[in-house]
Amino acid sequence: MNESGKMLMTAGFIKTALFRASGKGQLSLQGGKMILDNIAISDGFRIDIQGSAKIVINKDIKLELMKRMTDGYITGGKGLSIYVNKKKQTVIFLDSKKI
C-alpha cells in the first residue's frame, strides 16, 4: 500500500485467511484473483474491481457485500456481480455477459 492509502493489483494470486482493511484507503483490482477465508473492512475503505479481477470469500456474505455495493464502497464497471456458488463461497467479479 502506498502513502495515499491505495493498493493496486493488476495480476497474480493472493490467498489469505483474513483480509483486514481500515481507514479511508482503496483497493483497486484490475486483474488477478484474491481468495479469502474472511474479510473485515471499515466503512470508509473502498474496493474497485475492473477487468478480469475476482474476489472469492470462503463463506456466504452476499447480503453484506450487496449493501456495501449499494452504498458505493464496492464499485466496478458495468456488469459487477456478486453471487454465492455451490461451495457457499461469495464471488465478486465483472460478468462479461452483462456488459
Side-chain angles (χ1 to χ4, degrees):
M1 188 171 292
N2 64 23
E3 301 83 33
S4 66
K6 294 182 180 179
M7 185 167 75
L8 172 66
M9 181 175 171
T10 57
F13 184 83
I14 294 174
K15 184 173 183 177
T16 185
L18 174 64
F19 179 77
R20 182 182 301 259
S22 61
K24 301 284 183 189
Q26 178 176 345
L27 170 63
S28 293
L29 298 173
Q30 296 178 355
K33 185 176 185 179
M34 293 180 76
I35 298 178
L36 315 170
D37 287 339
N38 203 350
I39 187 168
I41 50 179
S42 69
D43 287 339
F45 194 84
R46 298 184 181 278
I47 297 175
D48 182 48
I49 299 173
Q50 299 293 329
S52 62
K54 184 182 285 190
I55 298 175
V56 178
I57 304 161
N58 290 326
K59 63 182 195 174
D60 183 352
I61 59 168
K62 180 179 179 179
L63 291 177
E64 178 184 329
L65 294 178
M66 291 296 288
K67 180 181 181 330
R68 294 188 67 80
M69 195 166 96
T70 302
D71 293 343
Y73 291 108
I74 296 177
T75 59
K78 187 176 181 182
L80 185 63
S81 296
I82 299 175
Y83 78 96
V84 178
N85 64 19
K86 292 178 183 178
K87 297 178 184 178
K88 301 290 185 204
Q89 296 171 315
T90 305
V91 182
I92 310 167
F93 70 109
L94 288 177
D95 188 350
S96 60
K97 295 175 186 170
K98 292 185 178 181
I99 296 175

Coordinates of all heavy atoms in Angstrom, one line a residue:
M1 N 0.8 -1.2 0.0 CA 0.0 0.0 0.0 C 0.9 1.2 0.0 O 1.9 1.3 0.7 CB -0.9 0.0 1.2 CG -2.0 1.1 1.2 SD -3.2 0.9 2.5 CE -4.1 -0.6 2.0
N2 N 0.5 2.2 -0.8 CA 1.4 3.4 -0.9 C 0.9 4.5 0.2 O 0.0 4.2 0.9 CB 1.4 4.0 -2.3 CG 0.0 4.5 -2.8 OD1 -0.9 4.8 -2.0 ND2 -0.2 4.5 -4.1
E3 N 1.6 5.6 0.2 CA 1.3 6.7 1.2 C -0.1 7.2 1.1 O -0.7 7.7 2.1 CB 2.3 7.9 1.0 CG 3.7 7.5 1.1 CD 4.3 6.9 -0.2 OE1 3.9 7.4 -1.3 OE2 5.1 6.0 -0.1
S4 N -0.8 7.2 -0.1 CA -2.1 7.7 -0.2 C -3.2 6.7 0.3 O -4.4 7.0 0.2 CB -2.4 8.1 -1.7 OG -2.4 6.9 -2.5
G5 N -2.8 5.5 0.7 CA -3.7 4.6 1.2 C -4.3 3.7 0.1 O -5.4 3.1 0.3
K6 N -3.7 3.7 -1.1 CA -4.3 2.9 -2.2 C -3.4 1.7 -2.5 O -2.1 1.8 -2.4 CB -4.4 3.8 -3.5 CG -5.4 4.9 -3.3 CD -5.5 5.7 -4.6 CE -6.5 6.8 -4.4 NZ -6.7 7.6 -5.6
M7 N -4.0 0.6 -2.9 CA -3.3 -0.6 -3.3 C -3.8 -1.0 -4.6 O -5.0 -1.1 -4.8 CB -3.5 -1.7 -2.2 CG -2.7 -2.9 -2.5 SD -2.6 -4.0 -1.1 CE -4.3 -4.8 -1.1
L8 N -2.9 -1.3 -5.6 CA -3.3 -1.7 -6.9 C -2.8 -3.1 -7.2 O -1.7 -3.4 -7.0 CB -2.7 -0.7 -7.9 CG -2.9 -1.0 -9.4 CD1 -4.3 -1.0 -9.8 CD2 -2.1 -0.1 -10.2
M9 N -3.7 -3.9 -7.7 CA -3.3 -5.3 -8.1 C -3.7 -5.4 -9.6 O -4.9 -5.2 -10.0 CB -4.0 -6.3 -7.3 CG -3.7 -7.7 -7.6 SD -4.5 -8.8 -6.4 CE -4.2 -10.4 -7.2
T10 N -2.8 -5.8 -10.4 CA -3.0 -5.9 -11.9 C -3.0 -7.4 -12.3 O -3.6 -7.7 -13.4 CB -2.0 -5.1 -12.7 OG1 -0.7 -5.5 -12.4 CG2 -2.2 -3.6 -12.4
A11 N -2.4 -8.2 -11.6 CA -2.3 -9.6 -11.9 C -1.9 -10.4 -10.7 O -1.4 -9.8 -9.7 CB -1.4 -9.9 -13.1
G12 N -1.9 -11.7 -10.8 CA -1.4 -12.5 -9.7 C -2.5 -13.2 -8.9 O -3.7 -13.2 -9.3
F13 N -2.1 -13.7 -7.8 CA -2.9 -14.5 -6.9 C -2.6 -14.3 -5.5 O -1.4 -14.3 -5.1 CB -2.6 -16.0 -7.3 CG -3.5 -17.0 -6.6 CD1 -4.8 -17.3 -7.1 CD2 -3.1 -17.6 -5.5 CE1 -5.6 -18.2 -6.4 CE2 -3.8 -18.6 -4.8 CZ -5.1 -18.9 -5.3
I14 N -3.6 -14.0 -4.7 CA -3.4 -13.8 -3.2 C -4.4 -14.7 -2.5 O -5.6 -14.8 -2.8 CB -3.7 -12.3 -2.8 CG1 -2.7 -11.4 -3.4 CG2 -3.7 -12.2 -1.3 CD1 -3.0 -9.9 -3.2
K15 N -3.8 -15.5 -1.6 CA -4.7 -16.3 -0.7 C -4.3 -16.1 0.7 O -3.2 -16.2 1.1 CB -4.5 -17.8 -1.1 CG -5.4 -18.7 -0.3 CD -5.3 -20.1 -0.8 CE -6.3 -21.0 0.0 NZ -6.3 -22.4 -0.5
T16 N -5.3 -15.7 1.5 CA -5.1 -15.4 2.9 C -6.3 -15.7 3.8 O -7.4 -15.8 3.2 CB -4.7 -13.9 3.1 OG1 -4.3 -13.7 4.4 CG2 -5.8 -13.0 2.7
A17 N -6.1 -16.0 5.0 CA -7.2 -16.3 5.9 C -8.0 -15.1 6.2 O -9.2 -15.2 6.2 CB -6.6 -16.8 7.2
L18 N -7.4 -13.9 6.4 CA -8.2 -12.7 6.7 C -7.6 -11.5 6.0 O -6.4 -11.3 6.0 CB -8.1 -12.4 8.2 CG -8.7 -11.1 8.7 CD1 -10.2 -11.1 8.5 CD2 -8.4 -10.9 10.2
F19 N -8.5 -10.8 5.3 CA -8.1 -9.5 4.7 C -8.8 -8.4 5.6 O -10.0 -8.3 5.6 CB -8.6 -9.4 3.2 CG -8.3 -8.1 2.6 CD1 -7.0 -7.8 2.1 CD2 -9.3 -7.1 2.4 CE1 -6.7 -6.6 1.5 CE2 -9.0 -5.9 1.8 CZ -7.7 -5.7 1.4
R20 N -7.9 -7.7 6.2 CA -8.4 -6.6 7.1 C -7.9 -5.3 6.6 O -6.7 -5.1 6.4 CB -7.9 -6.8 8.6 CG -8.4 -5.8 9.6 CD -7.9 -6.1 10.9 NE -8.2 -7.4 11.4 CZ -9.2 -7.6 12.3 NH1 -9.9 -6.7 12.8 NH2 -9.4 -8.9 12.7
A21 N -8.9 -4.3 6.4 CA -8.5 -3.0 6.0 C -9.3 -2.0 6.7 O -10.5 -2.2 6.9 CB -8.7 -2.9 4.5
S22 N -8.7 -0.9 7.1 CA -9.4 0.2 7.8 C -9.0 1.5 7.3 O -8.0 1.6 6.5 CB -9.1 0.1 9.3 OG -7.8 0.3 9.6
G23 N -9.7 2.5 7.7 CA -9.4 3.9 7.2 C -10.1 4.2 5.9 O -11.0 3.6 5.5
K24 N -9.6 5.2 5.2 CA -10.1 5.7 4.0 C -9.4 5.2 2.8 O -9.4 5.9 1.8 CB -10.1 7.3 4.0 CG -10.9 7.9 5.2 CD -12.4 7.8 4.9 CE -13.1 8.5 6.1 NZ -14.5 8.3 6.0
G25 N -8.8 4.1 2.8 CA -8.0 3.5 1.7 C -8.8 3.0 0.6 O -10.1 3.0 0.6
Q26 N -8.1 2.5 -0.4 CA -8.8 1.9 -1.6 C -8.0 0.7 -2.1 O -6.8 0.8 -2.3 CB -9.0 2.9 -2.7 CG -9.7 2.3 -3.9 CD -10.0 3.4 -4.9 OE1 -9.9 4.6 -4.7 NE2 -10.3 2.9 -6.1
L27 N -8.7 -0.4 -2.4 CA -8.1 -1.5 -3.1 C -8.6 -1.5 -4.5 O -9.8 -1.6 -4.7 CB -8.4 -2.8 -2.4 CG -8.1 -4.1 -3.2 CD1 -6.6 -4.2 -3.3 CD2 -8.6 -5.3 -2.4
S28 N -7.7 -1.3 -5.5 CA -8.1 -1.4 -6.9 C -7.6 -2.7 -7.6 O -6.4 -2.9 -7.6 CB -7.5 -0.2 -7.7 OG -8.1 1.0 -7.2
L29 N -8.5 -3.5 -8.0 CA -8.2 -4.8 -8.6 C -8.5 -4.6 -10.1 O -9.6 -4.4 -10.5 CB -9.0 -5.9 -8.1 CG -8.8 -6.2 -6.6 CD1 -9.8 -7.3 -6.1 CD2 -7.4 -6.7 -6.3
Q30 N -7.4 -4.8 -10.9 CA -7.6 -4.7 -12.4 C -7.4 -6.1 -13.0 O -7.6 -6.2 -14.2 CB -6.6 -3.7 -13.0 CG -6.9 -2.3 -12.5 CD -6.0 -1.2 -13.0 OE1 -5.0 -1.6 -13.7 NE2 -6.2 0.0 -12.7
G31 N -7.0 -7.0 -12.2 CA -6.7 -8.3 -12.7 C -6.3 -9.2 -11.5 O -6.2 -8.7 -10.4
G32 N -6.2 -10.5 -11.7 CA -5.8 -11.4 -10.6 C -6.9 -11.9 -9.9 O -8.1 -11.6 -10.2
K33 N -6.6 -12.6 -8.8 CA -7.6 -13.3 -8.0 C -7.2 -13.2 -6.5 O -6.1 -13.5 -6.2 CB -7.8 -14.7 -8.5 CG -8.9 -15.5 -7.8 CD -9.0 -16.9 -8.5 CE -10.1 -17.7 -7.9 NZ -10.2 -19.0 -8.6
M34 N -8.2 -12.9 -5.7 CA -8.0 -13.0 -4.2 C -8.9 -14.0 -3.7 O -10.1 -14.0 -4.0 CB -8.3 -11.6 -3.6 CG -7.3 -10.5 -4.0 SD -7.8 -8.9 -3.1 CE -7.2 -9.3 -1.5
I35 N -8.3 -14.9 -2.9 CA -9.2 -15.9 -2.2 C -9.0 -15.7 -0.7 O -7.9 -15.7 -0.2 CB -8.7 -17.4 -2.6 CG1 -9.0 -17.6 -4.0 CG2 -9.5 -18.4 -1.7 CD1 -8.5 -19.0 -4.5
L36 N -10.1 -15.4 0.0 CA -10.1 -15.0 1.4 C -11.0 -15.9 2.2 O -12.1 -16.3 1.7 CB -10.6 -13.6 1.5 CG -10.0 -12.5 0.6 CD1 -10.7 -11.2 0.7 CD2 -8.5 -12.3 0.8
D37 N -10.5 -16.3 3.4 CA -11.4 -17.0 4.3 C -12.4 -16.0 5.0 O -13.5 -16.4 5.2 CB -10.6 -17.7 5.4 CG -9.9 -19.0 4.8 OD1 -10.3 -19.5 3.8 OD2 -8.9 -19.4 5.4
N38 N -11.9 -14.8 5.2 CA -12.8 -13.8 5.8 C -12.3 -12.4 5.4 O -11.2 -12.2 5.0 CB -12.7 -13.9 7.4 CG -13.9 -13.4 8.0 OD1 -14.7 -12.7 7.4 ND2 -14.0 -13.6 9.3
I39 N -13.2 -11.4 5.5 CA -12.9 -10.1 5.1 C -13.5 -9.1 6.2 O -14.6 -9.3 6.6 CB -13.4 -9.7 3.7 CG1 -12.9 -8.4 3.2 CG2 -14.9 -9.9 3.6 CD1 -13.2 -8.1 1.7
A40 N -12.6 -8.2 6.6 CA -13.1 -7.2 7.6 C -12.6 -5.8 7.0 O -11.4 -5.5 7.1 CB -12.5 -7.5 8.9
I41 N -13.5 -5.0 6.6 CA -13.2 -3.7 6.0 C -14.0 -2.6 6.7 O -15.2 -2.8 7.0 CB -13.3 -3.7 4.5 CG1 -14.7 -4.1 4.0 CG2 -12.2 -4.4 3.8 CD1 -14.9 -4.1 2.5
S42 N -13.4 -1.5 7.0 CA -14.1 -0.4 7.6 C -15.1 0.3 6.6 O -15.0 0.1 5.4 CB -13.1 0.6 8.2 OG -12.5 1.3 7.1
D43 N -15.9 1.1 7.2 CA -16.9 1.8 6.3 C -16.3 2.7 5.3 O -16.8 2.9 4.2 CB -17.9 2.6 7.2 CG -18.9 1.6 7.9 OD1 -19.0 0.5 7.4 OD2 -19.5 2.0 8.9
G44 N -15.1 3.3 5.6 CA -14.5 4.2 4.7 C -13.6 3.6 3.6 O -13.2 4.3 2.7
F45 N -13.4 2.3 3.7 CA -12.5 1.6 2.8 C -13.3 1.2 1.5 O -14.4 0.7 1.6 CB -11.9 0.4 3.4 CG -10.7 -0.2 2.6 CD1 -9.4 0.4 2.8 CD2 -10.9 -1.2 1.8 CE1 -8.4 -0.1 2.1 CE2 -9.8 -1.7 1.0 CZ -8.5 -1.2 1.2
R46 N -12.7 1.5 0.4 CA -13.3 1.2 -0.9 C -12.6 0.1 -1.7 O -11.4 -0.1 -1.6 CB -13.4 2.4 -1.8 CG -14.2 3.5 -1.2 CD -14.3 4.7 -2.1 NE -15.0 5.8 -1.5 CZ -16.4 5.9 -1.5 NH1 -17.1 4.9 -2.0 NH2 -17.0 6.9 -0.9
I47 N -13.4 -0.7 -2.4 CA -12.9 -1.8 -3.3 C -13.4 -1.5 -4.7 O -14.6 -1.3 -4.9 CB -13.3 -3.2 -2.8 CG1 -12.7 -3.5 -1.5 CG2 -12.8 -4.2 -3.9 CD1 -13.2 -4.8 -0.9
D48 N -12.5 -1.4 -5.7 CA -12.9 -1.2 -7.1 C -12.4 -2.4 -7.9 O -11.2 -2.7 -7.9 CB -12.2 0.1 -7.6 CG -12.6 0.4 -9.0 OD1 -13.8 0.3 -9.3 OD2 -11.7 0.7 -9.8
I49 N -13.3 -3.0 -8.6 CA -13.0 -4.2 -9.4 C -13.1 -3.9 -10.9 O -14.2 -3.4 -11.3 CB -13.9 -5.4 -9.0 CG1 -13.7 -5.7 -7.5 CG2 -13.7 -6.6 -9.9 CD1 -14.6 -6.7 -7.0
Q50 N -12.1 -4.2 -11.6 CA -12.1 -3.9 -13.1 C -11.5 -5.1 -13.8 O -10.8 -5.9 -13.2 CB -11.2 -2.6 -13.4 CG -11.7 -1.4 -12.8 CD -13.1 -0.9 -13.3 OE1 -13.4 -1.1 -14.5 NE2 -13.9 -0.3 -12.5
G51 N -11.7 -5.2 -15.1 CA -11.1 -6.2 -15.9 C -11.4 -7.6 -15.5 O -12.6 -8.0 -15.2
S52 N -10.4 -8.4 -15.4 CA -10.6 -9.9 -15.1 C -10.4 -10.2 -13.6 O -10.3 -11.3 -13.2 CB -9.6 -10.7 -15.9 OG -8.2 -10.3 -15.5
A53 N -10.4 -9.1 -12.8 CA -10.2 -9.3 -11.3 C -11.4 -10.1 -10.7 O -12.5 -10.0 -11.2 CB -10.1 -8.0 -10.6
K54 N -11.1 -10.9 -9.7 CA -12.1 -11.7 -9.0 C -11.7 -11.8 -7.5 O -10.5 -12.0 -7.2 CB -12.1 -13.1 -9.6 CG -13.2 -14.0 -9.0 CD -13.2 -15.3 -9.7 CE -13.8 -15.3 -11.1 NZ -14.0 -16.7 -11.6
I55 N -12.7 -11.7 -6.6 CA -12.5 -11.9 -5.2 C -13.4 -13.1 -4.8 O -14.6 -13.1 -5.1 CB -12.9 -10.7 -4.4 CG1 -12.0 -9.5 -4.7 CG2 -12.8 -11.0 -2.9 CD1 -12.3 -8.2 -4.0
V56 N -12.9 -14.1 -4.1 CA -13.6 -15.2 -3.7 C -13.5 -15.3 -2.1 O -12.4 -15.3 -1.6 CB -13.1 -16.5 -4.3 CG1 -13.8 -17.7 -3.7 CG2 -13.1 -16.5 -5.8
I57 N -14.6 -15.2 -1.4 CA -14.6 -15.3 0.0 C -15.2 -16.6 0.4 O -16.4 -16.9 0.0 CB -15.4 -14.1 0.6 CG1 -14.7 -12.8 0.1 CG2 -15.3 -14.1 2.1 CD1 -15.6 -11.6 0.2
N58 N -14.6 -17.3 1.3 CA -15.0 -18.7 1.6 C -16.1 -18.8 2.6 O -16.1 -19.6 3.5 CB -13.8 -19.5 2.1 CG -12.8 -19.8 1.0 OD1 -13.2 -20.0 -0.1 ND2 -11.5 -19.8 1.3
K59 N -17.1 -17.9 2.5 CA -18.3 -18.0 3.2 C -19.4 -17.1 2.6 O -19.1 -16.3 1.7 CB -18.2 -17.6 4.7 CG -17.7 -16.2 5.0 CD -17.5 -16.0 6.4 CE -17.5 -14.6 6.8 NZ -17.4 -14.4 8.3
D60 N -20.6 -17.3 2.9 CA -21.7 -16.6 2.3 C -21.9 -15.3 3.0 O -22.5 -15.2 4.1 CB -23.0 -17.4 2.4 CG -24.2 -16.8 1.7 OD1 -24.1 -15.6 1.3 OD2 -25.2 -17.5 1.5
I61 N -21.4 -14.2 2.4 CA -21.6 -12.8 2.9 C -22.2 -11.9 1.8 O -22.0 -10.7 1.8 CB -20.4 -12.2 3.5 CG1 -19.2 -12.2 2.5 CG2 -19.9 -13.0 4.8 CD1 -18.1 -11.3 3.0
K62 N -23.0 -12.5 0.9 CA -23.5 -11.8 -0.2 C -24.3 -10.5 0.2 O -24.2 -9.4 -0.3 CB -24.4 -12.7 -1.1 CG -25.0 -11.9 -2.3 CD -25.8 -12.9 -3.1 CE -26.4 -12.1 -4.3 NZ -27.2 -12.9 -5.2
L63 N -25.2 -10.7 1.2 CA -26.1 -9.6 1.6 C -25.2 -8.4 2.2 O -25.5 -7.3 1.8 CB -27.1 -10.0 2.7 CG -28.2 -11.0 2.2 CD1 -29.1 -11.4 3.3 CD2 -29.0 -10.3 1.1
E64 N -24.2 -8.7 3.0 CA -23.3 -7.7 3.5 C -22.6 -6.9 2.3 O -22.6 -5.7 2.3 CB -22.3 -8.3 4.4 CG -21.3 -7.3 5.0 CD -20.3 -8.0 5.9 OE1 -20.6 -9.0 6.5 OE2 -19.2 -7.5 5.9
L65 N -22.1 -7.7 1.4 CA -21.4 -7.1 0.2 C -22.4 -6.3 -0.7 O -22.0 -5.3 -1.2 CB -20.6 -8.1 -0.5 CG -19.5 -8.8 0.3 CD1 -18.8 -9.8 -0.6 CD2 -18.5 -7.8 0.7
M66 N -23.6 -6.8 -0.9 CA -24.6 -6.1 -1.7 C -24.9 -4.7 -1.1 O -25.0 -3.7 -1.8 CB -25.8 -6.9 -1.8 CG -25.7 -8.1 -2.7 SD -25.3 -7.8 -4.4 CE -26.8 -7.2 -5.0
K67 N -25.0 -4.7 0.3 CA -25.2 -3.4 0.9 C -24.0 -2.4 0.7 O -24.2 -1.3 0.4 CB -25.4 -3.6 2.4 CG -25.7 -2.3 3.2 CD -25.9 -2.5 4.6 CE -26.2 -1.2 5.4 NZ -25.6 0.0 4.9
R68 N -22.8 -2.9 0.8 CA -21.6 -2.1 0.6 C -21.6 -1.6 -0.9 O -21.2 -0.5 -1.2 CB -20.4 -2.9 0.9 CG -20.3 -3.2 2.4 CD -18.9 -3.7 2.8 NE -17.9 -2.8 2.6 CZ -17.6 -1.8 3.5 NH1 -18.3 -1.6 4.6 NH2 -16.6 -1.0 3.3
M69 N -22.1 -2.5 -1.8 CA -22.1 -2.1 -3.2 C -23.1 -1.0 -3.4 O -22.9 0.0 -4.1 CB -22.4 -3.3 -4.1 CG -22.2 -3.1 -5.6 SD -22.2 -4.7 -6.4 CE -23.8 -4.7 -7.1
T70 N -24.3 -1.1 -2.8 CA -25.3 -0.1 -2.9 C -24.9 1.2 -2.3 O -25.2 2.3 -2.8 CB -26.6 -0.6 -2.1 OG1 -27.0 -1.8 -2.7 CG2 -27.7 0.4 -2.2
D71 N -24.1 1.2 -1.2 CA -23.6 2.4 -0.6 C -22.4 3.0 -1.3 O -21.9 4.0 -0.9 CB -23.2 2.1 0.9 CG -24.3 1.7 1.8 OD1 -25.5 2.0 1.4 OD2 -24.1 1.2 2.8
G72 N -21.9 2.3 -2.4 CA -20.8 2.8 -3.2 C -19.4 2.5 -2.7 O -18.4 3.0 -3.2
Y73 N -19.3 1.6 -1.8 CA -18.0 1.2 -1.3 C -17.3 0.0 -2.0 O -16.2 -0.3 -1.9 CB -18.0 0.8 0.2 CG -18.3 2.0 1.1 CD1 -19.5 2.2 1.7 CD2 -17.3 3.0 1.2 CE1 -19.7 3.4 2.5 CE2 -17.5 4.2 2.0 CZ -18.8 4.3 2.6 OH -19.0 5.5 3.3
I74 N -18.2 -0.7 -2.8 CA -17.6 -1.7 -3.7 C -18.1 -1.3 -5.1 O -19.3 -1.1 -5.4 CB -18.2 -3.1 -3.4 CG1 -17.7 -3.6 -2.1 CG2 -17.7 -4.1 -4.5 CD1 -18.2 -4.9 -1.6
T75 N -17.2 -0.9 -6.0 CA -17.5 -0.4 -7.3 C -16.8 -1.2 -8.4 O -15.9 -2.0 -8.1 CB -17.1 1.1 -7.4 OG1 -15.7 1.2 -7.2 CG2 -17.8 1.9 -6.4
G76 N -17.2 -1.0 -9.6 CA -16.6 -1.7 -10.7 C -17.3 -1.2 -12.0 O -18.2 -0.4 -11.9
G77 N -16.9 -1.7 -13.1 CA -17.5 -1.4 -14.3 C -18.9 -2.0 -14.4 O -19.4 -2.6 -13.5
K78 N -19.5 -1.7 -15.6 CA -20.8 -2.3 -15.9 C -20.7 -3.8 -15.8 O -19.8 -4.4 -16.4 CB -21.3 -1.9 -17.2 CG -22.7 -2.2 -17.6 CD -23.1 -1.7 -18.9 CE -24.6 -2.1 -19.2 NZ -25.0 -1.6 -20.5
G79 N -21.7 -4.5 -15.1 CA -21.6 -5.9 -15.1 C -21.1 -6.5 -13.7 O -20.8 -7.7 -13.6
L80 N -20.8 -5.6 -12.8 CA -20.3 -6.0 -11.5 C -21.3 -7.0 -10.8 O -22.5 -6.7 -10.7 CB -20.1 -4.9 -10.5 CG -19.4 -5.2 -9.2 CD1 -18.0 -5.8 -9.4 CD2 -19.3 -3.9 -8.3
S81 N -20.9 -8.2 -10.5 CA -21.8 -9.2 -10.0 C -21.2 -9.8 -8.7 O -20.0 -9.9 -8.5 CB -21.9 -10.4 -11.0 OG -22.5 -9.9 -12.2
I82 N -22.2 -10.2 -7.8 CA -21.8 -10.9 -6.6 C -22.8 -12.1 -6.5 O -24.0 -11.9 -6.6 CB -22.1 -10.0 -5.3 CG1 -21.1 -8.7 -5.4 CG2 -21.8 -10.8 -4.0 CD1 -21.4 -7.7 -4.3
Y83 N -22.2 -13.3 -6.3 CA -23.1 -14.4 -6.2 C -22.4 -15.4 -5.3 O -21.3 -15.3 -4.9 CB -23.4 -15.1 -7.6 CG -22.2 -15.9 -8.1 CD1 -22.2 -17.3 -8.0 CD2 -21.2 -15.3 -8.8 CE1 -21.2 -18.1 -8.5 CE2 -20.2 -16.1 -9.4 CZ -20.2 -17.5 -9.2 OH -19.1 -18.2 -9.7
V84 N -23.2 -16.4 -4.8 CA -22.7 -17.5 -3.9 C -22.8 -18.8 -4.7 O -23.9 -19.1 -5.3 CB -23.6 -17.6 -2.7 CG1 -23.1 -18.7 -1.8 CG2 -23.6 -16.2 -1.9
N85 N -21.7 -19.5 -4.8 CA -21.6 -20.7 -5.6 C -22.0 -21.9 -4.7 O -22.4 -21.7 -3.6 CB -20.2 -20.9 -6.2 CG -19.1 -21.1 -5.2 OD1 -19.4 -21.4 -4.0 ND2 -17.9 -20.9 -5.6
K86 N -22.0 -23.1 -5.3 CA -22.4 -24.3 -4.6 C -21.6 -24.6 -3.3 O -22.0 -25.3 -2.4 CB -22.4 -25.5 -5.5 CG -23.4 -25.4 -6.6 CD -23.3 -26.6 -7.6 CE -24.3 -26.5 -8.7 NZ -24.2 -27.6 -9.7
K87 N -20.3 -24.1 -3.3 CA -19.4 -24.4 -2.2 C -19.7 -23.3 -1.1 O -18.9 -23.3 -0.1 CB -18.0 -24.3 -2.6 CG -17.6 -25.3 -3.6 CD -16.1 -25.1 -4.0 CE -15.7 -26.1 -5.1 NZ -14.3 -25.8 -5.5
K88 N -20.7 -22.5 -1.2 CA -21.0 -21.4 -0.2 C -19.9 -20.4 -0.2 O -19.7 -19.7 0.8 CB -21.3 -22.0 1.2 CG -22.4 -22.9 1.2 CD -23.7 -22.2 1.0 CE -24.9 -23.2 1.2 NZ -26.1 -22.8 0.6
Q89 N -19.3 -20.1 -1.3 CA -18.3 -19.1 -1.5 C -18.9 -17.9 -2.1 O -19.6 -18.0 -3.1 CB -17.1 -19.5 -2.3 CG -16.3 -20.7 -1.8 CD -15.3 -21.2 -2.8 OE1 -15.6 -21.4 -3.9 NE2 -14.1 -21.4 -2.3
T90 N -18.6 -16.7 -1.6 CA -19.1 -15.5 -2.2 C -18.1 -15.0 -3.3 O -16.9 -14.9 -3.0 CB -19.3 -14.4 -1.2 OG1 -20.2 -14.9 -0.2 CG2 -20.0 -13.1 -1.8
V91 N -18.5 -14.8 -4.5 CA -17.7 -14.4 -5.6 C -18.1 -13.0 -6.1 O -19.2 -12.8 -6.4 CB -17.7 -15.4 -6.7 CG1 -16.8 -15.1 -7.8 CG2 -17.5 -16.8 -6.2
I92 N -17.1 -12.1 -6.2 CA -17.3 -10.8 -6.8 C -16.4 -10.7 -8.1 O -15.2 -10.9 -8.0 CB -16.8 -9.7 -5.8 CG1 -17.4 -9.9 -4.4 CG2 -17.2 -8.3 -6.3 CD1 -16.8 -9.1 -3.3
F93 N -17.1 -10.3 -9.2 CA -16.4 -10.2 -10.4 C -17.2 -9.4 -11.4 O -18.3 -9.0 -11.2 CB -16.1 -11.6 -11.0 CG -17.3 -12.3 -11.5 CD1 -17.5 -12.5 -12.9 CD2 -18.3 -12.8 -10.6 CE1 -18.7 -13.1 -13.3 CE2 -19.4 -13.4 -11.1 CZ -19.6 -13.6 -12.5
L94 N -16.6 -9.1 -12.6 CA -17.3 -8.4 -13.7 C -17.8 -9.5 -14.6 O -17.0 -10.2 -15.2 CB -16.4 -7.4 -14.4 CG -16.0 -6.1 -13.7 CD1 -15.1 -5.3 -14.5 CD2 -17.3 -5.3 -13.4
D95 N -19.1 -9.5 -14.8 CA -19.7 -10.5 -15.7 C -19.7 -10.0 -17.1 O -20.5 -9.1 -17.4 CB -21.1 -10.9 -15.2 CG -21.7 -12.0 -15.9 OD1 -21.1 -12.5 -16.9 OD2 -22.8 -12.5 -15.4
S96 N -18.9 -10.6 -18.0 CA -18.9 -10.1 -19.4 C -20.2 -10.2 -20.1 O -20.5 -9.5 -21.1 CB -17.8 -10.8 -20.1 OG -18.0 -12.2 -20.2
K97 N -21.1 -11.1 -19.6 CA -22.4 -11.3 -20.3 C -23.3 -10.1 -20.0 O -24.3 -9.9 -20.7 CB -23.0 -12.6 -19.8 CG -22.3 -13.8 -20.2 CD -22.9 -15.0 -19.6 CE -22.0 -16.3 -19.9 NZ -22.4 -17.4 -19.1
K98 N -23.0 -9.3 -18.9 CA -23.9 -8.2 -18.6 C -23.4 -6.9 -19.1 O -24.0 -5.9 -19.0 CB -23.9 -8.1 -17.0 CG -24.7 -9.2 -16.4 CD -24.8 -8.9 -14.9 CE -25.6 -10.0 -14.2 NZ -25.7 -9.7 -12.8
I99 N -22.2 -6.9 -19.8 CA -21.6 -5.7 -20.3 C -22.3 -5.3 -21.6 O -22.6 -6.1 -22.5 CB -20.1 -5.8 -20.5 CG1 -19.5 -6.0 -19.2 CG2 -19.5 -4.6 -21.2 CD1 -18.0 -6.3 -19.2

